Amino acid sequence: DIQMTQSPSSLSASVGERVTITCQASQDISNFLSWYQQKPGKAPKLLIYDASNLGAGVPSRFSGSGSGTDFTFTISSLLPEDIATYYCQQCDSLPTFGGGTKVEIK
Amino acid sequence: QVQLVESGGGLVKPGGSLRLSCAASGFTFSDYYMSWIRQAPGKGLEWLSYISGRSGYTNSADSVKGRFTISRDNAKNSVYLQMDSLRAEDTAVYYCARGLRPSDYWGQGTLVTVSS
């Protein structure tokens, strides 16, 4: 199975600050990587697919980059409504998720 | 609009069985892979199984292979997860999702509790 190492596991940032989350795959997954946002008590929501493509209706402050084994997810300017846990997911083979990053407001 | 509604969760004893259903609407169901994903209380996401749209090809995570079976009925726009030999560690919210690359729409989830 492909392992996804996501970091950090949590972070605290100020409103308006740039936030970056990384995800590393245990082997080359090309660009078969998605990012999801999950708010408490809610289902995950797709934000980014194929490493860098924005999901439908997703604000442009969210972005993704990378290929192969190293990937980055960025919120360009953190808003209060972005408080959530974010997960990366590889879908090159049997899908697997990263451990999640809990984003809080400082 | 796309809607996925899971049902069938509840309390079941260890060793028991449960069948989850996911009713889909708002899209051509047979055109899409469907997936099941779960989340144990306070934990992260764990992908379980997927099934292709027309051929019914399936694949499952090792943690549930041989115990959980995914199936679909395209005439009823529904996907199912038959769960057998349930264990305490299967306690989780179970989500169905449309698609595989990526899973672009998710249901609200159904809670399965395995306890004596």
Side-chain angles (χ1 to χ4, degrees):
Chain A
D1 290 3
I2 297 175
Q3 309 301 317
M4 303 301 295
T5 303
Q6 187 174 340
S7 62
S9 57
S10 66
L11 65 88
S12 183
S14 301
V15 172
E17 193 172 338
R18 185 181 186 88
V19 168
T20 299
I21 299 168
T22 63
C23 205
Q24 184 171 60
S26 59
Q27 63 189 69
D28 190 333
I29 59 169
S30 183
N31 68 333
F32 294 125
L33 186 103
S34 301
W35 291 94
Y36 298 88
Q37 175 193 65
Q38 187 179 33
K39 296 184 177 181
K42 300 293 187 182
K45 174 188 174 184
L46 175 69
L47 297 181
I48 302 287
Y49 66 96
D50 292 347
S52 60
N53 292 318
L54 215 56
V58 175
S60 59
R61 65 180 181 276
F62 297 102
S63 64
S65 64
S67 66
T69 60
D70 295 301
F71 301 86
T72 300
F73 170 81
T74 300
I75 307 173
S76 61
S77 181
L78 187 67
L79 297 180
E81 58 260 39
D82 299 334
I83 298 314
T85 300
Y86 294 83
Y87 294 92
C88 63
Q89 180 208 33
Q90 69 79 19
C91 35
D92 178 54
S93 62
L94 294 180
T96 49
F97 290 92
T101 297
K102 187 174 183 179
V103 175
E104 298 175 321
I105 295 286
K106 191 182 293 182
Chain B
Q1 73 281 21
V2 174
Q3 272 200 309
L4 300 170
V5 180
E6 301 95 336
S7 61
L11 176 64
V12 60
K13 289 181 167 52
S17 297
L18 213 53
R19 189 196 195 206
L20 305 183
S21 300
C22 172
S25 60
F27 64 99
T28 304
F29 183 69
S30 56
D31 284 349
Y32 288 84
Y33 278 69
M34 296 296 294
S35 300
W36 284 98
I37 301 105
R38 71 182 176 186
Q39 187 170 38
K43 302 296 184 182
L45 299 168
E46 180 187 16
W47 172 85
L48 299 177
S49 295
Y50 69 74
I51 185 167
S52 66
R54 295 181 189 275
S55 69
Y57 173 79
T58 66
N59 206 347
S60 297
D62 287 345
S63 60
V64 301
K65 201 167 285 187
R67 296 192 302 126
F68 291 9
T69 303
I70 190 172
S71 62
R72 67 190 295 158
D73 185 336
N74 287 342
K76 294 184 177 180
N77 287 352
S78 293
V79 62
Y80 308 100
L81 188 67
Q82 177 66 41
M83 304 187 295
D84 299 319
S85 304
L86 283 161
R87 308 164 179 164
E89 54 264 37
D90 295 318
T91 294
V93 174
Y94 285 72
Y95 297 99
C96 70
R98 185 182 84 163
L100 183 62
R101 289 179 180 172
S103 297
D104 58 355
Y105 286 92
W106 296 53
Q108 84 289 348
T110 187
L111 176 63
V112 172
T113 303
V114 184
S115 174
S116 54

